[in-house]
Amino acid sequence: MQKQVISTKPIRSLEDAIDRCQTLGMRVSRQRRFILELLWQAQEHLSAREIYDRLNQEGKEIGHTSVYQNLEALSSQNIIECIERCDGRLYGNISDSHSHVNCIDTNQILDVHIQLPEDFIRQVEEETGVKITEYSINFYGYRQNKTES
């Protein structure tokens, strides 16, 4: 019996997310499509409540339970990102390895793709004895005033 190999190609678009669902045998229901479309349009991290509210404001009737169940299914399969915070979970559309800038002023989380220098990664590996295969960095700070240099 052959084992099915699931692509680990990064999900970079709504179409990629839908393709991954189909590859995994997940049904792309109307509600699931609404959630994916919203996350790709919003380009920000949203709580389940914000997703529910926005979809219903757009006239896309969806229940609380459906939102939570779909978010759990999508995040458990790494199709969307789930960030655990002390005040609840936030969901975003980038599922591959990346870092975050946490703005303390606005409470926003911004996605950034950062590549650390190889010598830095080697130093971490030497100090820990662990082979680094991927990493994520969390930065915290305040919005810079654009008029100051």
Side-chain angles (χ1 to χ4, degrees):
M1 186 188 311
Q2 270 189 318
K3 185 177 179 182
Q4 182 181 9
V5 178
I6 303 296
S7 170
T8 57
K9 183 183 98 173
I11 296 171
R12 300 282 187 199
S13 68
L14 173 60
E15 293 75 26
D16 289 347
I18 291 169
D19 287 347
R20 181 71 55 87
C21 286
Q22 292 169 336
T23 300
L24 292 169
M26 296 174 72
R27 186 168 163 261
V28 183
S29 64
R30 182 177 54 87
Q31 294 90 346
R32 191 164 285 167
R33 184 178 287 276
F34 288 163
I35 291 168
L36 289 171
E37 287 172 350
L38 176 65
L39 287 173
W40 282 98
Q41 290 166 359
Q43 296 290 310
E44 62 182 309
H45 298 85
L46 301 170
S47 69
R49 180 64 193 208
E50 289 170 317
I51 292 168
Y52 168 81
D53 288 343
R54 288 188 189 188
L55 288 174
N56 280 286
Q57 286 170 2
E58 292 175 6
K60 297 175 178 170
E61 293 183 19
I62 185 170
H64 282 103
T65 304
S66 183
V67 169
Y68 284 100
Q69 288 173 340
N70 278 290
L71 289 171
E72 177 60 31
L74 291 166
S75 63
S76 70
Q77 293 297 323
N78 296 316
I79 295 168
I80 62 171
E81 174 183 36
C82 177
I83 300 172
E84 299 279 348
R85 294 184 38 158
C86 62
D87 56 349
R89 293 178 177 173
L90 294 178
Y91 299 90
N93 66 343
I94 298 180
S95 64
D96 61 319
S97 187
H98 64 283
S99 298
H100 293 120
V101 175
N102 296 268
C103 181
I104 297 168
D105 290 328
T106 63
N107 210 25
Q108 269 188 304
I109 299 174
L110 308 169
D111 296 315
V112 291
H113 287 87
I114 295 194
Q115 187 153 353
L116 294 174
E118 282 298 318
D119 58 331
F120 181 79
I121 293 172
R122 277 194 300 277
Q123 180 183 352
V124 171
E125 289 175 340
E126 289 170 9
E127 287 182 23
T128 63
V130 175
K131 174 72 176 151
I132 304 299
T133 57
E134 63 181 78
Y135 52 85
S136 173
I137 304 169
N138 280 304
F139 298 94
Y140 297 87
Y142 297 96
R143 250 290 157 225
Q144 292 180 349
N145 186 343
K146 301 269 186 215
T147 59
E148 295 178 9
S149 302

